[in-house]
Amino acid sequence: MSHVLVTGANGFVGRALSLALLNSGHTVTGLVRQAEHGANGVTSWVDASNNFTGIDAAWPQGLQADCVVHLAARVHVLHDDSTDPEAAFRATNVDGALRVAEAAWRHGVKRLVFVSSIKALAETDSGRPLRENDQPAPADAYGRSKLAAEQALLRYGEDTGLDIVIVRPPLVYGPQVRANFLRLVDAVWNGVPLPLAAVGARRSIVYIENLTDALVCCATDPRAAGQCFHVADDDAPTVAELARMLGRHLRKPALLLPVPAAWLRIAGRLTRRSSQVERLIGSLQVDTGRIRSVLGWRPTHSTDAGLAATASWYRSTR
């Protein structure tokens, strides 16, 4: 069994990944900014430094990890109040990731799994599911920082021999979810009219337990060495289908209005929210063929099962 260091172990994905690793028999150390109660069995390493400055010197004596899964990041936010978003994203997502990689290599770690984002590649597809080797065209500062981090880590791996594995998930959902997906659940629960009935574009998503299962494979399977993988559920529902499934599991039927996509795009331009509108109505499907063929990985849960678990958790909080 392996010893895996997880950065951002107290986050939405980090907690679930730590539990999945423990359940698979691995030893887990969680690198976190604040001491919080994490998964039982995880050894916490608290480092409150800014963007992992000084992580090399702070490396705990005796910590001999086989792999680092780097989850900690400055994430995409709807209203960014930074005066220079490009610099802020780069400082954390590129410079911080490199510091983690450098410290890991100097302390004997053999593999780093970098959890990137499908946004490093594109915001929408071009009529077919996105593949790992498609030409990158990130549309915002977050996506550009993730792509730059991928490229910087790959160069570092080539120079040192550190094995770099890149994973690009789309939108992640599941119990304890936050941000945009939680807003959709809130809207369905509260009976907010959603102008999405006429939108036919499909969006790949990934249930948290499907993602963590894939990450465990990427952290421990020798066949993952040097690979870049897209990870998603089997299904890519439209946003309307997603709302209907959520409504069924919430026992609160979604209220959907048939507003043409063209009208929504016009409204987005008028309100200067075109990017937010496109994330709802643009097609973004990902091809998961590579991880299936290289690692033999398949999602362990259907989208419907994942949404049922998410809705059950949400109902329990009301």
Side-chain angles (χ1 to χ4, degrees):
M1 294 293 107
S2 299
H3 187 158
V4 182
L5 172 63
V6 178
T7 72
N10 281 349
F12 171 49
V13 177
R15 288 176 181 271
L17 174 59
S18 297
L19 185 59
L21 285 163
L22 290 171
N23 288 340
S24 296
H26 303 289
T27 302
V28 182
T29 295
L31 177 54
V32 296
R33 289 183 58 83
Q34 297 179 348
E36 299 177 14
H37 179 69
N40 291 332
V42 174
T43 300
S44 290
W45 167 14
V46 179
D47 177 22
S49 65
N50 193 31
N51 299 328
F52 300 103
T53 303
I55 184 177
D56 187 28
W59 194 276
Q61 185 175 6
L63 174 57
Q64 295 180 320
D66 301 290
C67 176
V68 172
V69 179
H70 186 52
L71 287 165
R74 188 173 196 268
V75 299
H76 178 83
V77 292
L78 187 60
H79 301 293
D80 195 338
D81 58 3
S82 172
T83 57
D84 189 347
E86 295 280 350
F89 277 114
R90 186 173 184 88
T92 300
N93 296 349
V94 184
D95 300 340
L98 268 176
R99 292 187 187 108
V100 171
E102 291 164 355
W105 175 246
R106 282 195 285 267
H107 289 274
V109 175
K110 302 303 182 186
R111 174 176 292 183
L112 184 142
V113 177
F114 178 63
V115 183
S116 183
S117 167
I118 199 62
K119 290 176 180 290
L121 193 59
E123 190 67 54
T124 58
D125 62 49
S126 57
R128 63 161 176 78
L130 294 169
R131 298 170 185 152
E132 289 85 351
N133 59 354
D134 284 341
Q135 184 65 33
D140 60 14
Y142 170 72
R144 287 188 288 273
S145 72
K146 283 294 194 177
L147 177 62
E150 290 181 12
Q151 295 169 338
L153 289 169
L154 289 172
R155 287 193 298 270
Y156 184 76
E158 290 173 358
D159 291 341
T160 62
L162 177 64
D163 176 21
I164 303 294
V165 181
I166 294 168
V167 177
R168 293 179 182 148
L171 179 68
V172 186
Y173 69 97
Q176 312 295 329
V177 70
R178 295 291 182 264
N180 289 337
F181 198 93
L182 181 59
R183 293 188 185 97
L184 176 61
V185 181
D186 285 337
V188 174
W189 178 265
N190 292 314
V192 176
L194 300 172
L196 302 170
V199 177
R202 297 190 172 276
R203 309 280 296 189
S204 289
I205 55 178
V206 61
Y207 179 47
I208 183 70
E209 292 195 25
N210 288 337
L211 175 59
T212 57
D213 183 66
L215 290 175
V216 171
C217 292
C218 290
T220 60
D221 193 323
R223 296 173 297 176
Q227 294 284 346
C228 175
F229 295 122
H230 290 174
V231 177
D233 291 354
D234 281 332
D235 305 309
T238 67
V239 181
E241 290 171 346
L242 183 60
R244 289 189 185 101
M245 287 189 284
L246 276 170
R248 185 174 74 253
H249 292 302
L250 290 169
R251 301 165 194 161
K252 298 247 186 174
L255 181 55
L256 298 169
L257 306 179
V259 179
W263 292 12
L264 295 174
R265 287 191 169 96
I266 291 171
R269 288 195 293 271
L270 292 174
T271 59
R272 298 182 179 180
R273 294 182 176 179
S274 291
S275 60
Q276 292 95 311
V277 170
E278 201 57 39
R279 280 195 287 272
L280 281 174
I281 68 176
S283 176
L284 181 60
Q285 297 185 69
V286 305
D287 187 324
T288 60
R290 179 178 291 180
I291 192 170
R292 292 168 182 267
S293 62
V294 174
L295 301 185
W297 179 84
R298 298 289 186 279
T300 55
H301 297 74
S302 68
T303 298
D304 193 61
L307 292 173
T310 306
S312 177
W313 158 77
Y314 186 89
R315 291 197 314 271
S316 73
T317 67
R318 299 302 98 181

